Each structure stands twice: as C-alpha cells, then as structure tokens.
Amino acid sequence: FPVTIAPHRREAAVEAAQWYHDLGEWDLCFMWARRALQIGQVPMSYLTESAAYGALPHDLAAVSAFRLGYFQEARKHGMDALRLDPYDQRLAGNVAWYEEAA
C-alpha cells in the first residue's frame, strides 16, 4: 500500500480501507477509514483525490462499523457521509438502516 510511502495523505488510508472493505475485513476497513478521517488538511497537490475528502471515508467507516455491530458509530459516519453527498440514495438508505439498528 502507498500508506507506508505517504502516511500523511488521506488517499492512501482510504485506498487501504476500500481494499479491506472489498475483502470483507471489517475490522481493518474500520481502522483505516478512521485513520483516513484523522487526516483533515486537504493538500494542494495534483495528487489530491477529491473522493478521499468527500463521503467515501465516512461511508467505509459506517459500513464497517455496522458490520462490526458498532451501530452508533455507523449512524454517525453514515450521517456524515450523507451530509457530504446528500443526493446519494444508497447513503440515505444506509442511514435508515443504521438508525433502525441504533
């Protein structure tokens, strides 16, 4: 992973979270998504990927938290993802699930 090369960049952590999401490794997905969200400053660089600073890391954190049974965390991150992408119907549907479970 590029995480070892650029630990200060959110893109690398989001890529790792997505990787573990695709593998169904929810604990590692949750860890990397949360790590990505700890990186708040958007670098002014041609390497910056807007998805890493949008809804995606919150969505990955929400889905993995839900799968791990952390329903309050899932709801929080789901709401944050929906706030960043309010027209995404999948995110809205997920938030309804998270609220029902919480």
Side-chain angles (χ1 to χ4, degrees):
F1 287 125
V3 174
T4 57
I5 297 168
H8 60 287
R9 297 203 53 105
R10 191 183 269 199
E11 292 85 353
V14 171
E15 183 178 327
Q18 184 69 61
W19 172 267
Y20 288 116
H21 170 278
D22 295 348
L23 292 175
E25 296 285 342
W26 305 118
D27 54 338
L28 292 170
C29 177
F30 187 59
M31 180 195 76
W32 282 108
R34 289 180 57 204
R35 186 170 296 175
L37 291 167
Q38 291 174 348
I39 302 168
Q41 186 174 354
V42 181
M44 299 306 293
S45 164
Y46 71 94
L47 297 172
T48 301
E49 295 179 20
S50 60
Y53 296 89
L56 181 59
H58 284 289
D59 183 33
L60 291 167
V63 169
S64 57
F66 184 80
R67 295 290 190 136
L68 292 167
Y70 307 149
F71 302 125
Q72 293 294 336
E73 285 279 321
R75 182 182 178 279
K76 176 202 170 301
H77 287 294
M79 293 293 289
D80 289 342
L82 189 58
R83 180 180 47 80
L84 292 168
D85 193 353
Y87 301 107
D88 188 313
Q89 293 301 310
R90 184 188 60 78
L91 293 177
N94 284 359
V95 166
W97 282 10
Y98 305 149
E99 288 179 339
E100 191 174 307

